[in-house]
Amino acid sequence: MSTTENEPAANFIRHIILDDIANGKNGGKVQTRFPPEPNGYLHVGHAKSICLNFGIAKEFNGSCNLRFDDTNPEKESDEYAKSIEQDIKWLGFEWHKEIHHASDYFEQLYGYAVELIEAGLAFVDELNAEQMREYRGTLTEPGKNSPYRDRAIAENLDLFTRMRAGEFPDSKYVLRAKIDMSSPNINMRDPIIYRIKRAHHIRTGDKWCIYPMYDFTHCISDALEGITHSLCTLEFEDHRPLYDWVLDNISLECHPQQIEFSRLALAYTITSKRKLTTLVSEKFVDGWDDPRMSTLSGMRRRGYPAASLRHFCTAVGISKKNHVTDMGLLEQYVRDELNVIAPRGMAVLRPLKVVIENYPEDKIEQLEAPIHPQNEAMGTRKVPFSREIYIDQEDFMEEANNKFKRLVLDKEVRLRNAYVIHCHQVIKDEQGNMTELRCTYDNQTLGKNPEGRKVKGVIHWVSASESVAAEVRVYDRLFNTPNPAAAEDFRTCINPNSLSLISSARVEPSLAEAKPEQCFQFEREGYFVADRYQHSPEKPVFNMTVGLRDTWNS
Ligand code: ATP
Ligand code: MG
């Protein structure tokens, strides 16, 4: 795991750009853009595109625009736009100057459509959707020309003007590029470039009742912004001839180069905004930023450091080959980052009371423990020790062989950062459940081994009176198959046990004092983050970020 942001991974896009710079193309300038549609929250796949676009711009002293591709008014919202801005900043990137919107260019786009009509390269069609499908042909058969294809230029101009003026109902007419109905590439078979749609737009309101299609909008927006390299995912490869055709046939000088790379797909997760929307709207999760979601806001709330996502994206690399990345890889970057930065603390998730009989009743000792055992500079914390403490139920057995390096009846164990204790009695309720352990401690064992004997096991604990009750949410994978997107209905692959709510955990005082979004290693348990919204020192709430070891392949 040695990749860092300072050593950009070699990839074919960097090679193209290095060549372009060497050849003086675009005056040596590099201008990229990240063009999300504000119709959902960003997910981990978008992180790859963000890291690539912003990373390339930074590396070559260029800049990267943020452009909202807002041409589908019904699905878009301001909430989505705001969340996208926040997520990009959180990931650690800054867009160039003001935010752009495809809708900023609606007037210009209209003008370029008129240019195409005037050049005899676009026509107003009135086939209905079904007829249009029939005329389109298939992958193996060519399409047929629409009977309206040869309308006179003047008539096309008149109809297009009246489409804009709102004279016709939705879907009555469309504007189509006049390219080639027999092209082997279906995208080139007279694609629609404008449609009539009466929908309120988040930025232009009701000004427009016709909206340009993505393929027409995207290339022109790129060119208007002086983008040099338009990086997009592989599914747009077949759209590139259209991208180039539009720019070759209008009066814009700039002609960005579209380059495609493979999408990020992560095992056991969904990277489709449409499906993520279903998870939210059908309440399979608690909103877009539920820590089980593969959204950036979900990963943030889960406690993934932004740097670990950037490192992961670098490690995944950029190629033309689609493949599925193992979730374990992402988690390894999360662990690597947190291992270095996360303060340590003790939390007992399933408390079992321990009474230390030879410890004075009202005494409370403030023991000192390192905040990070490998980094002295992080200092120490105070851990209160008292006669009654809690240990985890899983750390005690009445009988066990030597492999069980925790507390056993009639044996000893070390309490982490504290003393060695010996258990001599188990107290049970009427049903036979253990309710309490009676122990003694050896007061000569603080920070040193007892004389004449070895104590191998170390367990964590908290003081009963000085610890704070906390809610801890432990997560399992959200889907129980590696490729839920391939299922007929991905909802059938949802793991019903992806969330375990532990409402009676106990945490040491230093953990209760966490700031929202602060991450810790709960010693021997894993990494946990103080919930961004619900945590408070009085009522601590922690989300599990990741365990100490990879469990995806076990
Ligand atoms: P979705 O299928 O989730 O709706 P999208 O491609 O429609 O994704 P956009 O908002 O249009 O979503 O995406 C913005 C940019 O992010 C595009 O350039 C797109 O290619 C890129 N992108 C989206 N998903 C991925 C992914 N899984 N891996 C890499 N890049 C992606
Ligand atoms: Mg899209």
Side-chain angles (χ1 to χ4, degrees), residues 134-149:
E134 255 166 54
Y135 276 76
R136 190 182 299 131
T138 64
L139 284 174
T140 48
E141 284 166 46
K144 286 185 301 189
N145 284 350
S146 161
Y148 306 99
R149 198 175 198 262

Side-chain angles (χ1 to χ4, degrees), residues 118-145:
E118 284 171 341
L121 292 173
F123 67 100
V124 173
D125 201 358
E126 56 193 281
L127 291 180
N128 63 33
E130 197 183 314
Q131 293 166 320
M132 205 159 311
R133 242 189 322 275
E134 255 166 54
Y135 276 76
R136 190 182 299 131
T138 64
L139 284 174
T140 48
E141 284 166 46
K144 286 185 301 189
N145 284 350

Side-chain angles (χ1 to χ4, degrees), residues 343 509-520 528-537 541-542:
S510 75
L511 293 177
E513 285 152 21
K515 293 187 188 61
E517 293 201 78
Q518 199 179 353
C519 279
F520 293 88
F528 291 78
V529 64
D531 189 78
R532 192 174 165 192
Y533 302 111
Q534 286 149 356
H535 171 86
S536 70
V541 177
F542 286 93

Side-chain angles (χ1 to χ4, degrees), residues 166-177:
E167 286 189 26
F168 310 116
D170 286 13
S171 315
K172 167 116 175 91
Y173 291 107
V174 292
L175 184 70
R176 297 179 71 175

Side-chain angles (χ1 to χ4, degrees), residues 93-105:
F93 297 101
E94 258 175 76
W95 50 86
H96 183 56
K97 295 190 182 157
E98 74 276 13
I99 295 172
H100 299 261
H101 302 82
S103 57
D104 297 339
Y105 312 129

Side-chain angles (χ1 to χ4, degrees), residues 335-387:
R335 248 182 236 115
D336 286 353
E337 184 74 16
L338 289 177
N339 183 34
V340 175
I341 62 172
R344 273 46 174 174
M346 293 192 286
V348 174
L349 302 188
R350 296 148 293 252
L352 173 61
K353 192 190 232 178
V354 172
V355 178
I356 301 167
E357 292 178 334
N358 60 340
Y359 196 86
E361 296 248 353
D362 4 296
K363 182 170 170 186
I364 290 175
E365 230 176 316
Q366 296 293 342
L367 304 177
E368 199 140 283
I371 288 176
H372 194 303
Q374 282 90 48
N375 183 358
E376 253 178 53
M378 286 173 80
T380 59
R381 66 189 203 266
K382 292 257 188 290
V383 184
F385 187 77
S386 55
R387 178 181 161 91

Side-chain angles (χ1 to χ4, degrees), residues 33-37 39 43 45-46 48-49 69 231-233 235-236 261-265 271-274:
R33 86 287 171 267
F34 174 64
E37 183 178 354
N39 63 347
H43 53 64
H46 293 113
K48 174 173 171 176
S49 178
D69 161 31
L231 313 179
C232 62
T233 35
E235 70 273 21
F236 291 103
F261 62 94
S262 64
R263 287 177 90 85
L264 174 74
T271 43
S272 142
K273 276 186 282 185
R274 193 173 51 78

